[in-house]
Amino acid sequence: MSDNTAYSRLEIDARGIAWLTLDRPEVHNAFDDSLIAELNAHLERLHDAAGHGEVRAVVLSSEGKSFSAGADLGWMKRMVEYDVDGNLADSRKLAQLMHGLDTLPCPTVCRVQGAAFGGAVGLAACCDIVIASEKARFCLSEVKIGLSPAVISPYVQRALGSRQTRRYALTAEVMDANTAWTLGLVHQVVEHEVLDAAVIAMLHNLLAGSPQAQRATKGLLAEVAREPDSQATREHTCRVIAELRVSAEGQEGLASFFEKRRPAWTPDPDDDTTSATERRS
């Protein structure tokens, strides 16, 4: 199943892996209002599909040398002509994009092959797992043009922590891949030539988990982060595990563990995941 639009692609393979790809390599996959609208439409579809168990995981990637250069120059020129209300409406669409990606009810993997500037850092921060090439670079570049990483700041600060976000948002310094890993923005840095293989390996790990348990865990962790120590949170954690234990997938998982067999949701190991390289070709 695929949905190719002007600036992006969404493809869902037979095992429920969704490949969401930015496809504006000629402008380094820069954001504009059209790309944001496309991505919001794709995410709406993915929310529905993941919620119904039709999508197991989402890989966010891009074509070309750069992951994303941030805001498109032509879009920024148009925004200069907007009044406050016009800019507010525009910003709300970007906020919808970040929130939609952050709250997808399935695991998300971000594949970063090159430069990720401005809002692209927000995209990475909204994903559950970020795998970066050693060539990747990250930069909260907004203050250099008189702006602020405002819309993406909640997600970036969650990833980097308050102290490090203050430094990099105020200085607009470029982080190399290893610095981004040290600070917590990136989970894994690999040689550029094995980036796709690393993504595939991570997908194999994710496909071994129960889809229902992953959805419940992702929602639970978001709730715990909002209110880590309250009676309501403690009760919620108890309810999540109790309901999972008696669910069909929970019973299957426990039975397969004791019977020393693969659980029903695990793909046949002989049916290998289509490689990201093949999918982008």
Side-chain angles (χ1 to χ4, degrees):
M1 185 185 304
S2 64
D3 181 8
N4 295 347
T5 43
Y7 300 132
S8 61
R9 302 196 308 272
L10 175 61
E11 301 167 280
I12 304 174
D13 70 22
R15 292 193 296 176
I17 303 298
W19 306 82
L20 180 56
T21 307
L22 310 185
D23 193 11
R24 301 187 75 202
E26 69 283 359
V27 292
H28 299 277
N29 300 300
F31 291 22
D32 67 2
D33 46 356
S34 296
L35 176 58
I36 290 171
E38 285 184 16
L39 293 175
N40 278 330
H42 291 321
L43 288 170
E44 184 177 353
R45 177 183 173 192
L46 287 170
H47 268 267
D48 183 66
H52 289 90
E54 297 165 9
V55 166
R56 294 283 312 273
V58 175
V59 179
L60 177 64
S61 64
S62 60
E63 293 288 0
K65 180 179 179 181
S66 301
F67 177 70
S68 173
D72 178 82
L73 293 177
W75 181 42
M76 291 183 2
K77 288 178 181 177
R78 292 198 302 276
M79 285 191 289
V80 170
E81 305 299 324
Y82 295 173
D83 60 12
V84 170
D85 288 340
N87 272 283
L88 186 57
D90 208 63
S91 297
R92 283 171 175 158
K93 292 173 185 175
L94 181 60
Q96 178 187 345
L97 167 59
M98 297 298 161
H99 179 73
L101 180 59
D102 185 60
T103 58
L104 274 173
C106 66
T108 53
V109 179
C110 187
R111 173 192 179 275
V112 184
Q113 80 279 23
F117 279 40
V121 180
L123 290 179
C126 287
C127 288
D128 301 317
I129 300 164
V130 180
I131 302 177
S133 158
E134 60 190 354
K135 295 183 179 181
R137 298 291 182 269
F138 300 84
C139 182
L140 295 167
S141 54
E142 288 86 351
V143 295
K144 286 194 172 181
I145 57 171
L147 302 178
S148 168
V151 171
I152 66 172
S153 62
Y155 311 101
V156 175
Q157 182 158 282
R158 182 183 61 192
L160 295 180
S162 175
R163 293 292 291 164
Q164 297 295 351
T165 301
R166 286 190 182 194
R167 170 181 172 171
Y168 287 95
L170 294 173
T171 66
E173 294 171 87
V174 175
M175 291 176 266
D176 62 23
N178 285 322
T179 299
W181 173 77
T182 300
L183 296 178
L185 179 62
V186 169
H187 295 88
Q188 185 178 359
V189 178
V190 299
E191 294 180 0
H192 189 74
E193 294 73 18
V194 299
L195 178 58
D196 290 326
V199 171
I200 296 303
M202 186 60 67
L203 289 173
H204 279 297
N205 289 335
L206 291 171
L207 289 172
S210 155
Q212 175 185 258
Q214 288 170 337
R215 289 194 299 272
T217 298
K218 188 165 179 177
L220 173 68
L221 293 177
E223 188 69 28
V224 168
R226 282 191 292 270
E227 198 172 4
D229 187 24
S230 70
Q231 180 58 39
T233 297
R234 289 192 291 274
E235 179 61 23
H236 182 54
T237 62
C238 294
R239 183 165 294 279
V240 167
I241 189 61
E243 292 178 352
L244 285 173
R245 283 173 181 163
V246 300
S247 69
E249 280 192 18
Q251 293 288 301
E252 166 63 11
L254 291 168
S256 65
F257 175 77
F258 290 120
E259 295 166 11
K260 295 180 170 52
R261 60 174 175 80
R262 286 190 303 113
W265 61 75
T266 305
D268 185 337
D270 295 328
D271 181 19
D272 197 16
T273 305
T274 303
S275 76
T277 300
E278 291 171 344
R279 187 156 299 281
R280 288 195 305 277
S281 62

